[in-house]
């Protein structure tokens, strides 16, 4: 241990109370930073998992066509500007070829067709509006992992029963429907069809559970009086959901159909998520900066109190950089103590909250140990404490011993 470190150690021990206060500030700031950012990651994962239970990473569909202004004639001028949706069939032409083309892309993992039908669920005099989703059971389960949120029944029975239906728990509750019961569906094309309930799912998203159901693809086509080639959507899952927008543009260029990433389809949710990130990051960084100011004030006070000692050290031959090392060592030591304490405190908080059941769509509190956030906290904490010590140390290094001795 060199002389600079010895002096720094002496200053730390001689000001135990001030050192403890400064370290406690870093502990608090560090623990809150790690805790809040780990919670943010947990919320993101929980929200994404909830979305991906019913939403694919990319949706490919035929967009509505808008009527265009008539082409100007050389003899006459037209002044018709009244854009409207052009009546047309929204089916994807040659969906099998489109699906095979998309599946060849290296980023793509799963591709499955879908037909969505607006229906009324009828059971006696009870009637509920909702959405019947026509799927290929095996492919849809790979994409959404439907089996993981089945509350009752057997998902595999949907494939073997052409008139089977899997309904949301909210529908089952409202219509008092159980496994094996019959339920009648009326489509927007006035087609009535009776289905047998083979399963009940629960996503913990009340809106989905109270309106959605799954039927076989062929059955949904029948509800719309359409043939086997009628497909409204092709759903795509990719390796990295964060790259959905770029890959969606690529798929759109290849297929000629509109492709929409999951973030674009949930813009309101993403905007709220972005705002939440900004607030949590700002608050947690502010608390760390306040802890840094605490160290700065304590070291600034130490410099003022030890001004004579500093003058003597410089008169003895200590250089400005030696003085800087003394106070920076003191600051970083306080920072290290605070960082270690903050990591322990954050771990205790996360361990406790992981076991808290909040219910609703969330379940257990969405938080986990995030090594990246721990590392970020350590780096940011040490950088702040370093500069909190460097600024007053720079001031101490500029002390002129002759001036001090004259006073």
């Amino acid at each position: 241990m060199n002389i600079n470190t010895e002096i720094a150690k002496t200053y730390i021990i001689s000001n135990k109370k001030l050192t403890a206060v400064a370290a406690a500030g870093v502990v608090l700031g560090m623990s809150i930073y790690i805790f809040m950012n780990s919670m943010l990651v947990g919320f993101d994962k929980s929200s994404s998992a909830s979305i991906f239970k019913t939403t694919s990473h990319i949706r490919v569909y035929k967009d509505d066509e808008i009527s265009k202004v008539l082409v100007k004639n050389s003899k006459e001028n037209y002044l018709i500007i009244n854009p409207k949706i052009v009546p047309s069939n929204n089916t994807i032409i040659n969906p099998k070829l489109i699906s095979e083309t998309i599946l060849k892309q290296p980023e793509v993992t799963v591709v499955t067709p879908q037909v969505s039908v607006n229906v009324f669920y009828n059971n006696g005099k009870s009637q509920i509006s909702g959405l019947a989703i026509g799927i290929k059971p095996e492919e849809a389960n790979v994409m959404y992992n439907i089996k993981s949120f089945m509350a009752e029944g057997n998902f595999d029975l949907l494939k073997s029963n052409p008139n089977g239906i899997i309904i949301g728990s909210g529908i089952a509750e409202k219509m008092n429907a159980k496994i094996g019961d019959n339920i009648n569906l009326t489509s927007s094309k006035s087609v009535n069809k009776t289905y047998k309930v083979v399963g009940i799912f629960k996503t913990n998203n009340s809106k989905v559970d109270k309106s959605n159901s799954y039927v076989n693809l062929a059955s949904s086509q029948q509800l719309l009086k359409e043939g086997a080639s009628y497909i409204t959507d092709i759903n795509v899952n990719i390796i990295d959901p964060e790259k959905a927008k770029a890959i969606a543009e690529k798929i759109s260029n290849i297929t000629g159909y509109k492709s929409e990433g999951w973030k674009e389809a949930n813009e309101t949710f993403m905007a709220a998520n972005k705002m939440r990130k900004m607030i949590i990051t700002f608050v947690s960084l502010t608390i760390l900066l306040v802890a840094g100011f605490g160290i700065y004030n304590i070291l600034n006070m130490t410099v003022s109190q030890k001004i004579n000692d500093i003058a003597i050290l410089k008169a003895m031959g200590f250089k400005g950089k030696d003085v800087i090392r003394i106070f920076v060592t003191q600051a970083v030591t306080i920072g290290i103590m605070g960082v270690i304490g903050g990591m322990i405190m954050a771990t205790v908080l996360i361990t406790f909250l992981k076991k808290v059941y909040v219910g609703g769509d969330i379940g257990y509190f969405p938080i986990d140990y995030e090594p990246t956030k721990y590392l970020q906290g350590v780096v940011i904490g040490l950088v702040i404490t370093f500069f909190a010590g460097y600024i007053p140390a720079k001031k101490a290094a500029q002390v002129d011993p002759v001036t001090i001795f004259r006073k």
Side-chain angles (χ1 to χ4, degrees):
M1 188 181 290
N2 61 36
I3 188 65
N4 294 339
T5 309
E6 282 284 357
I7 295 170
K9 182 182 175 182
T10 303
Y11 285 164
I12 290 170
I13 295 171
S14 62
N15 293 315
K16 288 180 181 178
K17 289 184 179 179
L18 291 177
T19 301
V21 170
V26 178
V27 167
L28 183 63
M30 178 62 58
S31 60
I32 290 176
Y33 180 88
I34 294 172
F35 170 74
M36 293 185 77
N37 283 277
S38 296
M39 182 175 65
L40 184 61
V41 172
F43 278 143
D44 285 347
K45 288 180 179 178
S46 175
S47 301
S48 297
S50 179
I51 288 173
F52 292 147
K53 283 181 180 179
T54 54
T55 305
S56 58
H57 299 162
I58 299 172
R59 175 187 170 221
V60 181
Y61 62 100
K62 184 179 180 182
D63 202 6
D64 294 324
E65 294 181 21
I66 306 296
S67 58
K68 300 175 182 178
V69 179
L70 294 174
V71 179
K72 287 188 176 181
N73 189 292
S74 56
K75 296 181 181 178
E76 300 178 15
N77 291 324
Y78 293 97
L79 192 64
I80 300 177
I81 304 173
N82 187 22
K84 293 182 180 178
I85 296 175
V86 178
S88 65
N89 196 328
N90 65 343
T91 184
I92 294 174
I93 299 171
N94 203 347
K96 187 176 180 181
L97 178 62
I98 296 291
S99 297
E100 289 173 354
T101 304
I102 295 171
L103 196 54
K104 288 178 182 177
Q105 305 308 308
E107 307 91 347
V108 175
T109 56
V110 189
V111 177
T112 184
Q114 177 180 300
V115 175
S116 300
V117 188
N118 290 313
V119 296
F120 283 105
Y121 301 102
N122 309 300
N123 190 7
K125 291 184 178 181
S126 301
Q127 190 177 67
I128 302 171
S129 62
L131 188 70
I133 302 170
I135 58 171
K136 289 185 175 180
E138 288 183 354
E139 293 176 2
N141 184 58
V142 173
M143 178 166 285
Y144 303 119
N145 196 14
I146 299 172
K147 288 183 180 180
S148 68
F149 50 88
M150 288 289 293
E152 295 180 48
N154 188 347
F155 178 79
D156 293 326
L157 291 176
L158 185 64
K159 182 182 178 182
S160 59
N161 189 341
N163 291 322
I165 185 171
I166 296 174
I167 59 176
S169 58
I171 299 171
E173 185 179 347
K174 283 187 175 182
M175 307 203 77
N176 195 27
K178 299 178 179 64
I179 301 296
D181 288 356
N182 291 328
I183 187 170
N184 181 265
L185 267 66
T186 304
S187 72
S188 55
K189 294 290 182 75
S190 301
V191 176
N192 282 293
K193 192 172 174 64
T194 301
Y195 292 87
K196 183 179 180 180
V197 178
V198 297
I200 298 171
F201 67 83
K202 186 176 183 179
T203 63
N204 285 326
N205 183 327
S206 58
K207 184 179 178 182
V208 171
D209 293 340
K210 290 179 180 179
S211 61
N212 287 15
S213 64
Y214 293 108
V215 297
N216 283 290
L217 189 64
S219 185
S220 63
Q221 291 163 340
Q222 292 168 10
L223 285 170
L224 292 172
K225 298 181 181 178
E226 297 289 352
S229 62
Y230 182 84
I231 299 295
T232 57
D233 304 289
I234 294 177
N235 295 320
V236 182
N237 268 12
I238 56 178
I239 296 170
D240 185 2
E242 294 300 316
K243 297 179 180 178
K245 185 176 181 180
I247 297 172
E249 291 176 0
K250 181 181 175 182
I251 291 173
S252 186
N253 293 331
I254 293 170
T255 62
Y257 287 102
K258 174 77 173 177
S259 297
E260 186 177 55
W262 67 278
K263 288 186 178 181
E264 289 67 48
N266 298 276
E267 285 186 347
T268 303
F269 164 78
M270 294 311 297
N273 192 42
K274 187 177 180 181
M275 187 168 63
R276 184 172 62 208
K277 279 184 179 179
M278 291 172 65
I279 292 170
I280 288 178
T281 303
F282 175 77
V283 170
S284 56
L285 276 176
T286 301
I287 293 170
L288 264 180
L289 284 170
V290 169
F293 276 117
I295 294 175
Y296 168 79
N297 287 331
I298 288 169
L299 291 182
N300 205 31
M301 192 185 304
T302 304
V303 169
S304 300
Q305 290 174 349
K306 305 291 184 180
I307 196 75
N308 292 333
D309 294 353
I310 295 167
I312 292 168
L313 289 173
K314 294 198 76 175
M316 290 170 62
F318 278 72
K319 296 179 182 178
K321 62 181 181 181
D322 294 316
V323 176
I324 290 174
R325 284 197 189 106
I326 291 168
F327 288 98
V328 167
T329 300
Q330 186 180 351
V332 172
T333 302
I334 294 171
I336 291 171
M337 289 191 294
V339 163
I340 293 170
M343 291 171 68
I344 294 170
M345 188 174 176
T347 304
V348 171
L349 284 170
I350 292 169
T351 303
F352 174 74
L353 281 175
K354 276 181 69 175
K355 299 175 183 177
V356 175
Y357 185 77
V358 293
D361 297 351
I362 298 173
Y364 284 95
F365 199 90
I367 193 169
D368 206 349
Y369 313 107
E370 300 295 336
T372 306
K373 298 304 173 186
Y374 275 78
L375 184 61
Q376 280 182 8
V378 169
V379 172
I380 294 171
L382 290 178
V383 168
I384 289 174
T385 53
F386 172 81
F387 282 104
Y390 181 79
I391 295 170
K394 191 74 174 173
K395 175 185 171 184
Q398 294 170 353
V399 169
D400 181 9
V402 176
T403 307
I404 299 300
F405 293 147
R406 280 177 180 171
K407 291 182 180 178

